[in-house]
Amino acid sequence: YGNATFSNQTGEEIGFDSRPLAVASGDFNNDKRSEIVIAYEGRDNVDIFVAYKRVSFAEQTRYVVGSYPQSVVVGDFNNDTRLDIVVASSGSNDVSVLLGCGNGSFAKETRYSVGSHPQSVVVGDFNNDTRLDIVVANYYSNDVSVLLGYENGSFAEETRYSVGSRPYSVAVGDFNNDARLDIVVANSWSDDVSVLLGYENGSFAEETRYLVGSYLQFVAVGDFNNDTRLDIVVANYYSNDVSVLLRYGNGSFTKATIYLVGSYPQSVAVGDFNNDTRLDIVVANSWSHDVSVLLGYGNGSFANQTRYSVGSRPYSVAIGDFNNDTRLDIVVANYYSNDVSVLLGYGNGSFAKEIKYLVGSYPPSVAVGDFNNDTRLDIVVANYYTNDPGMSSILNTGQYNRGVITPNFTMPTINGYLECHSLDDFEYLAKKILLPHRFNYFSYQVGYRCTYQASREYFNRHLKIIPRALTDVSEISLQTTIFGHTYNNPIIIAPTAFHRLAHNEGEWGTAQGATNAESIYIYNWALSTVSYYLGQYHAEFNISVEICPKWLHVYVSSPKTLLEQCILLAEQHSFKVIVITCDHPHNRVQSIHKAAFIQAIDRKQHNELTGLMYTPNTKDYNDAKLALEYGADGIIVSNHGGRQVDSGLSAIECLKDIVEFVNGRCEVFVDSGIRTGTDVLKCLALGARGVLIDRPILYGLTCGGHKGVEAVLNLLKKELMYDMASCGLTRLEQINERILYKHRQ
């Protein structure tokens, strides 16, 4: 409204069938109004929204791009004064260039191959020919792709340059003042930045690495000490700080100076917040629900942070002058509270209390621009949840209203789980609900599915139950003892990743379902609902901290610093067992196995961890022997649902042999292919202490959130109790091989 208050969001009933990941804006039809381009998760298109009538946006026009677009930027690639678009697509390993026609429409994409899983894209003129070029950070191939632009808006074949491990964010700037753009890349796994100095012909020198914090998420550049040399700032996710690297005149950088910020910084932006001609920093802290403002002294150092509360899980931050008072303000997209927070600047580096405006569900990205050409900055937000309008535009109207705007849509609910009477029903319904690429990710089995089919065949054809009738089964208990602790049932949720792909409740929904069903939940370290990882779910979801029994899973091939942090988290947040998986031969050596176990055992001697479990990918005596030598208290016999080796042995047919081999020296568990309570009974009869369930949990989560997870677990327990009663059993310790026909002594 001119005083930085905003009108109600406008959805314009813009419907999408996937979740927006990235948003950018620009004047695509030269009408002096900013339009919007949005890239979506799991889709092969971008949508363009053209402003009209000065107050809203026309229906979207969809343009095909590569699969899984991750990042989008705009620029004039053919020097025709019309803005064009470039999109980096991680699924198809390419960038799509769409040339603008000047009327808000775009020509058909032209694709250019880049590295593996491109994560971030930016543009700049790298060879000083007045034509924009492209640089892409490739997450899995650990390099960047540079594509030099031609005069007609086409691009040369990529040139690749190696950088650090898992590059996540890229930026450009002239770091050595030679009038040639250079590249800086934030490497999330190697905890450093790679700087590549540019040559006059658009090629780049070999990287120079600079250590910064832990698990880099975002990199930005600016001249922080007013020496006309660009410096670097990086948001470090795991170390809860930002690193500032000042530049020397030769293009090299000083050792990083660390400044503490809030919990798990996700995004960073730079601007002059107190009008002293010195750049300042603002950081969005995703887990402490605030932003940190660090005022610059002009010599490259910064004052201690000042924190300002915003909404829940701020993911993205942008800056702009929303009330036209020549003072920069802040806008933040809050992922969990489904709103944006606007903090007006006072001009002295401090900010007013946030003003919130509700938007769509789970906004991960925010951008600003004057979308109705009234000289006031407006806000556009990408909404992640599938059934929401997909985009919320908030127009700056000049009216003073500090109230919270009510959205004109409600979160859809799914109750299909009520109609599911078997785990096959859950799978069938989940396939109908999920986007195909998500269901395929969860259900994938390698090759011709021989390993998975072998599991089902063994359960159904080779293990026959002997019923018994003349016993009293009026009271049945599923209570069991694992590692000396009593649990209410032997059914355990196996560690799986990316639960948010199944349902917006993510890992919280899985944990709540496990709590309601009184089951153990093994948390995967790669959580998609990451706030759960530090126990902050109790504040966000209004539930008790002490919920289901918690075990923590890590991969033995994970970086050492990550393993250390995971085990430390287990100590701090009451995880009782560490589950260590070594399942794939890539970059794996025996010494790594041993070091990981020794590390965990050392922790165990000084805290309340009650168990260490090892998950081998094969069912081999040698693996079991090594696990015992390394100090494992338990072994999970698993083929990981047949995801890795086709024509492999099923876990169930190897279970008895492993149980006999360990001979009571540790407890044995099993997973893979378990689909009924009858399967659970057969596993227990062959000596398993507990049974892990994986895919059905994700299908239940898809069908009904935490209630769907609870329904899956309760169905298995109900079937198990029924089959126990059929065999004349009332307690788990009564279950043995005598109930199985071919195994009866």
Side-chain angles (χ1 to χ4, degrees), residues 190-363:
S190 51
D191 298 338
D192 53 30
V193 293
S194 297
V195 175
L196 299 88
L197 298 180
Y199 295 128
E200 188 174 4
N201 62 355
S203 63
F204 290 84
E206 186 176 343
E207 64 169 334
T208 301
R209 301 250 202 112
Y210 299 90
L211 283 176
V212 288
S214 177
Y215 200 69
L216 287 61
Q217 288 287 291
F218 200 92
V219 60
V221 299
D223 181 6
F224 300 129
N225 55 355
N226 287 338
D227 63 354
T228 70
R229 302 166 185 165
L230 287 180
D231 310 306
I232 297 171
V233 59
V234 183
N236 303 312
Y237 193 68
Y238 281 154
S239 50
N240 300 328
D241 52 40
V242 294
S243 298
V244 174
L245 297 88
L246 300 180
R247 200 201 70 195
Y248 294 124
N250 61 358
S252 64
F253 289 85
T254 63
K255 182 179 178 181
T257 302
I258 303 298
Y259 298 90
L260 292 178
V261 293
S263 294
Y264 292 72
Q266 189 86 27
S267 177
V268 61
V270 298
D272 182 6
F273 299 131
N274 54 356
N275 288 336
D276 63 355
T277 70
R278 303 165 184 167
L279 285 182
D280 312 306
I281 298 171
V282 59
V283 183
N285 304 310
S286 60
W287 288 9
S288 51
H289 317 303
D290 53 30
V291 294
S292 296
V293 174
L294 297 88
L295 298 180
Y297 289 130
N299 60 357
S301 64
F302 291 84
N304 289 336
Q305 62 173 328
T306 301
R307 305 258 284 273
Y308 298 89
S309 294
V310 292
S312 180
R313 293 293 301 280
Y315 258 36
S316 178
V317 60
I319 58 177
D321 181 7
F322 298 124
N323 55 354
N324 288 339
D325 63 354
T326 70
R327 303 164 185 168
L328 285 181
D329 312 307
I330 297 170
V331 59
V332 183
N334 302 310
Y335 192 70
Y336 271 1
S337 50
N338 302 328
D339 52 33
V340 294
S341 297
V342 175
L343 297 88
L344 299 181
Y346 288 128
N348 60 357
S350 64
F351 291 84
K353 183 179 179 181
E354 64 172 333
I355 307 169
K356 286 187 179 180
Y357 299 91
L358 288 184
V359 292
S361 294
Y362 303 95

